[in-house]
Amino acid sequence: TNNPSFETPNFTDGSTMHCDNSGLTSNHCSDQNGVPGWITTATDHTIEVWRKTPGSESVASTSTVGIPGDFNAAAGNQFIELNAYEVAAVYQDFNTPYPTTFTVRFSHRGRGGPNNNGKDVCVVYAGSASASITALTGLLTATDTKSAWGTYTTTYNVPPGQTVTRFAFGAITSASGGVGAGNFLDDIQFTANNSINGTGQIALSCT
């Protein structure tokens, strides 16, 4: 996984807007390829990165929208918010010349708000990189308040002939009620099972 905990770009406490790895910029971000490894479907190519020095959190009320400084990261010091200026998804692509099974592990957290019982909801999708995000297969739905990080694990079997596979995380709903607040993500791990499986012993000649 490239940049699994969003520790690049590194910055001081708070939240900042950075361009995704598409090489494009917008009026909301100017640091071309600012977040290595990740591309967003947002039309402004912007990924919102948060950072907090580890310490006490301020998350007692799930019905209020959290602010920078309220939340620790799930891993490292930084994490992202899916809802930057609009409802969007972030994704990474992997070369998959042979069928294999991926294990996907990630952490999700709400930002808080008065709607949906204080819960933010996102879905992890997978499928061919040539397909649109809406055409990908939903693997798992993550639903969390702002009180703590939820950690999720799922698997995906790459079918024969799918030479590039896309994994995407899409915002569904936000307790804030706004398109620009909600759905934190961190510590995203994609692990491919590239083992050789057989019914008996296999002798390999390594001359």
Side-chain angles (χ1 to χ4, degrees):
T1 310
N2 190 351
N3 202 15
S5 293
F6 307 99
E7 301 303 309
T8 303
N10 185 44
F11 64 99
T12 57
D13 289 2
S15 66
T16 57
M17 303 296 179
H18 297 275
C19 294
D20 66 9
N21 203 46
S22 65
L24 301 172
T25 61
S26 72
N27 61 324
H28 289 145
C29 70
S30 58
D31 57 339
Q32 193 175 54
N33 300 314
V35 184
W38 295 97
I39 295 178
T40 178
T41 61
T43 56
D44 59 6
H45 316 293
T46 300
I47 295 177
E48 185 172 355
V49 185
W50 287 48
R51 179 184 177 95
K52 179 184 181 298
T53 301
S56 61
E57 297 187 315
S58 179
V59 293
S61 174
T62 60
S63 63
T64 58
V65 179
I67 61 174
D70 285 353
F71 307 93
N72 290 326
N77 294 314
Q78 298 182 180
F79 54 97
I80 67 164
E81 184 175 32
L82 269 179
N83 300 67
Y85 289 102
E86 58 187 86
V87 177
V90 295
Y91 64 88
Q92 279 196 21
D93 293 342
F94 295 87
N95 291 323
T96 50
Y98 306 103
T100 189
T101 298
F102 276 85
T103 299
V104 183
R105 181 183 181 277
F106 66 98
S107 294
H108 172 263
R109 190 173 193 169
R111 186 174 169 179
N115 302 297
N116 199 32
N117 293 318
K119 297 175 181 178
D120 289 357
V121 181
C122 82
V123 172
V124 55
Y125 303 92
S128 172
S130 63
S132 65
I133 294 294
T134 56
L136 300 179
T137 299
L139 303 181
L140 184 148
T141 299
T143 304
D144 295 279
T145 67
K146 74 176 188 180
S147 60
W149 288 96
T151 299
Y152 299 84
T153 302
T154 186
T155 58
Y156 176 70
N157 296 317
V158 177
Q162 185 172 289
T163 56
V164 182
T165 296
R166 176 166 296 170
F167 292 95
F169 296 84
I172 303 300
T173 59
S174 171
S176 70
V179 297
N183 286 293
F184 295 136
L185 286 175
D186 198 7
D187 196 20
I188 300 173
Q189 306 284 345
F190 304 106
T191 305
N193 177 8
N194 292 318
S195 61
I196 300 174
N197 299 317
T199 57
Q201 293 183 342
I202 301 175
L204 298 177
S205 176
C206 300
T207 57

